[in-house]
Amino acid sequence: MSQPFIAILMGSDSDLPVMKSAITVLRSLDVSFEVKISSAHRTPSYTHDYVVDADQRGAVAFICAAGMAAHLAGAVAAATTKPVIGVPIESSLNGLDALLSTVQMPGGIPVATVAIGKAGAKNAAYLAAQIMAVADSDLAERVRLDRAASATVVIEKDQALQAMLANGEV
Ligand code: RP5
């Protein structure tokens, strides 16, 4: 079996601008990953074959992004018992169609569904890294440090706001 990795699938290249956020997070945490364009509807066999192969090669979790009638995460979840995280993409109806298509899975075939769009893509990557970190203490420490760094950014922004308030700039 190869090095553990996270498999990212997206239904179309039009999903890539959003999913770059997931790639950035995984790179920042030094998590191995693969990225595929494969559609539940346009390339069902290609999707199924990739999931089975990636599962056998050591995929720890799958991140699946799709818009509209977003069935990619559900189709992937049907083909593996590894954790599947669904990212609804906003391509019509403000993404609500994709959110409901991704989240409303029947009992027994779970998809952990995150927020619509870039925040969801980011959180999908963090969640996948946290899943991988259960068996990787070095990664768990990188995740912890990343969380601490993001808290520091918020505190610094608050301190800057307090200074502006004190100076009458706000
Ligand atoms: C979905 O349909 C894709 O995930 C994408 O979000 C949406 C539109 O796809 P394109 O027509 O842009 O290829 O399957």
Side-chain angles (χ1 to χ4, degrees):
M1 191 182 282
S2 62
Q3 187 188 13
F5 66 95
I6 302 300
I8 300 177
L9 292 92
M10 59 191 87
S12 170
D13 60 343
S14 64
D15 302 324
L16 185 57
V18 171
M19 293 311 292
K20 278 182 179 169
S21 300
I23 292 168
T24 300
V25 169
L26 293 179
R27 282 216 172 101
S28 74
L29 294 170
D30 199 20
V31 169
S32 297
F33 62 89
E34 296 179 359
V35 188
K36 296 284 286 183
I37 296 167
S38 194
S39 164
H41 306 122
R42 292 167 174 156
T43 58
S45 303
Y46 189 65
T47 299
H48 185 270
D49 291 351
Y50 172 72
V51 173
V52 170
D53 180 59
D55 190 329
Q56 289 172 350
R57 287 186 294 107
V60 171
F62 291 83
I63 295 173
C64 304
M68 304 183 78
H71 298 137
L72 182 59
V76 170
T80 181
T81 54
K82 301 282 177 62
V84 175
I85 303 164
V87 184
I89 301 292
E90 180 182 346
S91 51
S92 58
L93 304 178
N94 296 321
L96 192 57
D97 47 352
L99 172 64
L100 294 176
S101 300
T102 305
V103 79
Q104 289 286 37
M105 289 297 293
I109 314 291
V111 168
T113 305
V114 293
I116 298 165
K118 283 190 179 173
K122 250 178 114 169
N123 278 344
Y126 277 112
L127 183 55
Q130 288 173 213
I131 290 167
M132 187 183 269
V134 170
D136 181 341
S137 57
D138 290 343
L139 176 56
E141 178 63 6
R142 293 198 294 281
V143 170
R144 196 191 64 73
L145 290 172
D146 183 283
R147 184 77 68 93
S150 84
T152 300
V153 169
V154 173
I155 291 165
E156 286 173 353
K157 285 179 179 172
D158 178 58
Q159 289 170 342
L161 172 63
Q162 299 313 315
M164 286 193 288
L165 287 166
N167 294 338
E169 295 169 33
V170 173

